[in-house]
């Protein structure tokens, strides 16, 4: 088995980011990633995420031209964007999830544009939705992920390109649904092997994976975690997006373990409420625990069934 690099919590150092971001010509992406592993200061997250997501190029001399080209492309696509039934469903999800923001005309217009352009350019994913995953679940996931990016990026063009690159790291477009189904099955299987007491508590209360694990996977916890917790987690995910899909399952297991005592005290309704609206969590502990769980999975040869993100089918 491949030995994974363990995680040692450290404090984010803003000076590390300042030095890299203010480089005259070239940003050292490796050093930026290493600094980001331990959390990105809020004041720097917008810029750093754009480098990690390859929205900005490390060669600063190219960024002005690249930004102009992306803006032109976005506005051309916006003119062809889809405003049909599925777009309306997405906007309904936006109003449900973020009702205060949805009443702000400027935000609603900006964010609605991001969704229209996404629908225009990702038809191969959109066309699969009715087959096996409910349309409402997919709409919830896309809106929740996209709006988190909008809050960080504040600009619709940067939001769209961040969303495209992030989603591309998660899913192979032609195998979207099998990836989701297998990831939910993997999370349930690993919960049974690594936390049997909690698994059987869920069974006793008739709490099924499709009632919570499906959204934990599809939303990448963007709906369930408090904003500060989510930003810290995604700082880590963006460091190496090739590892994100499998690491995410380990993070899910870590969150369940951290909250297991409370979960086993609750009945079905309370369990689902907690799983759908997680309380503030000690994220450094959660992240360290996720890496420990990954090592345990490797040492016990608990191979993953999931090929989510195009991986090898096992945690490595």
């Amino acid at each position: 088995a491949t030995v994974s690099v363990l995680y040692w919590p450290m404090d984010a150092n803003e000076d590390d980011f300042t030095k890299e971001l203010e480089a005259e010509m070239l940003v050292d992406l490796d050093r930026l990633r290493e600094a980001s592993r331990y959390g990105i200061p809020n004041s720097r997250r917008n810029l750093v995420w754009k480098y990690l997501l390859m929205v900005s190029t490390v060669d600063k001399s190219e960024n002005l031209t690249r930004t102009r080209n992306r803006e032109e492309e976005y506005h051309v696509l916006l003119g062809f964007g889809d405003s049909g039934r599925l777009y309306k469903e997405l906007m309904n999800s936006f109003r449900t999830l973020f009702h205060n923001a949805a009443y702000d005309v400027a935000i609603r217009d900006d964010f609605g544009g991001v969704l229209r352009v996404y629908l225009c350019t990702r038809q191969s994913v959109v066309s699969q939705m009715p087959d096996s995953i409910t349309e409402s679940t997919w709409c919830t996931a896309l809106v929740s992920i996209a709006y988190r990016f909008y809050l960080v990026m504040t600009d619709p063009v940067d939001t769209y390109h961040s969303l495209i690159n992030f989603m591309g790291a998660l899913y192979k477009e032609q195998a979207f649904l099998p990836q989701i189904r297998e990831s939910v099955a993997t999370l349930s299987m690993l919960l049974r092997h690594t936390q049997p007491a909690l698994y059987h508590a869920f069974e006793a209360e008739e709490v099924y994976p499709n009632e919570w694990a499906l959204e934990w996977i599809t939303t990448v916890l963007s709906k369930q975690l408090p904003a500060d917790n989510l930003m810290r987690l995604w700082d880590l995910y963006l460091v190496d997006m090739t590892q994100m899909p499998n690491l995410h399952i380990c993070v899910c297991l870590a969150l369940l373990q951290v909250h297991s005592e409370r979960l086993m005290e609750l009945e079905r309704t309370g369990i689902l409420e907690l799983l759908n609206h997680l309380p503030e969590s000690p994220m450094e502990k959660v992240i360290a625990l996720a890496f420990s769980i990954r090592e345990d999975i490797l040492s016990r040869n608990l191979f993953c069934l999931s090929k989510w993100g195009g991986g090898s089918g096992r945690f490595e």
Side-chain angles (χ1 to χ4, degrees), residues 97-98 144-145 148 151 212 215-217 219-237 248 251-256 258-259 273-284 286-287:
L97 292 170
F98 307 105
S144 185
I145 292 170
R148 296 301 183 184
L151 290 177
W212 63 274
E215 280 203 349
W216 278 33
I217 296 294
T219 67
V220 201
L221 293 169
S222 58
K223 180 186 174 190
Q224 294 78 20
L225 278 176
D228 287 347
N229 285 181
L230 181 71
M231 296 298 98
R232 174 65 192 94
L233 179 61
W234 282 12
D235 288 346
L236 175 65
Y237 283 177
H248 180 63
V251 168
C252 291
L253 292 168
L255 282 165
L256 290 168
V258 165
H259 296 292
E273 176 64 23
L274 192 152
L275 292 174
N276 288 319
H277 302 92
L278 289 166
E280 290 283 344
S281 302
M283 290 310 295
E284 298 307 324
V286 169
I287 291 168

Side-chain angles (χ1 to χ4, degrees), residues 6 61 75 88 121 132 144-145 158 170 194 218-219 285 293 313:
L6 292 175
S61 67
H75 289 293
K88 292 175 183 176
T121 59
S132 180
S144 185
I145 292 170
D158 289 337
L170 289 176
T194 62
T218 57
T219 67
K285 177 181 178 180
I293 288 170

Side-chain angles (χ1 to χ4, degrees), residues 71-210:
E71 289 175 349
E72 291 174 357
E73 175 195 19
Y74 179 85
H75 289 293
V76 168
L77 291 170
L78 188 59
F80 293 99
D82 188 343
S83 297
R85 183 190 59 80
L86 191 53
Y87 169 76
K88 292 175 183 176
E89 289 298 320
L90 287 168
M91 291 306 290
N92 285 338
S93 294
F94 179 49
R95 283 187 285 271
T96 300
L97 292 170
F98 307 105
H99 55 276
N100 290 334
Y103 285 107
D104 186 306
V105 175
I107 292 176
R108 188 172 67 240
D109 288 349
D110 273 357
F111 190 66
V114 172
L115 298 177
R116 283 201 305 274
V117 174
Y118 186 87
L119 290 177
C120 179
T121 59
R122 288 298 178 267
Q123 286 300 322
S124 60
V125 172
V126 172
S127 64
Q128 297 181 59
M129 291 310 110
D131 293 341
S132 180
I133 188 171
T134 65
E135 193 172 274
S136 63
T137 298
W138 181 79
C139 288
T140 295
L142 181 62
V143 167
S144 185
I145 292 170
Y147 190 63
R148 296 301 183 184
F149 276 117
Y150 180 75
L151 290 177
V152 172
M153 299 299 170
T154 70
D155 172 78
V157 179
D158 289 337
T159 300
Y160 166 72
H161 285 280
S162 298
L163 179 64
I164 288 293
N165 293 347
F166 185 80
M167 298 296 277
L170 289 176
Y171 310 121
K172 283 188 174 180
E173 292 188 7
Q174 301 304 324
F176 175 82
L177 292 173
Q179 291 169 49
I180 294 298
R181 287 195 299 268
E182 290 177 15
S183 294
V184 172
T186 295
L187 178 54
S188 180
M189 178 271 289
L190 290 173
L191 178 62
R192 177 163 57 90
H193 282 285
T194 62
Q195 300 176 59
L198 183 59
Y199 178 86
H200 291 302
F202 283 2
E203 275 197 329
E205 291 297 328
E206 299 183 333
V207 173
Y208 302 111
N210 278 355

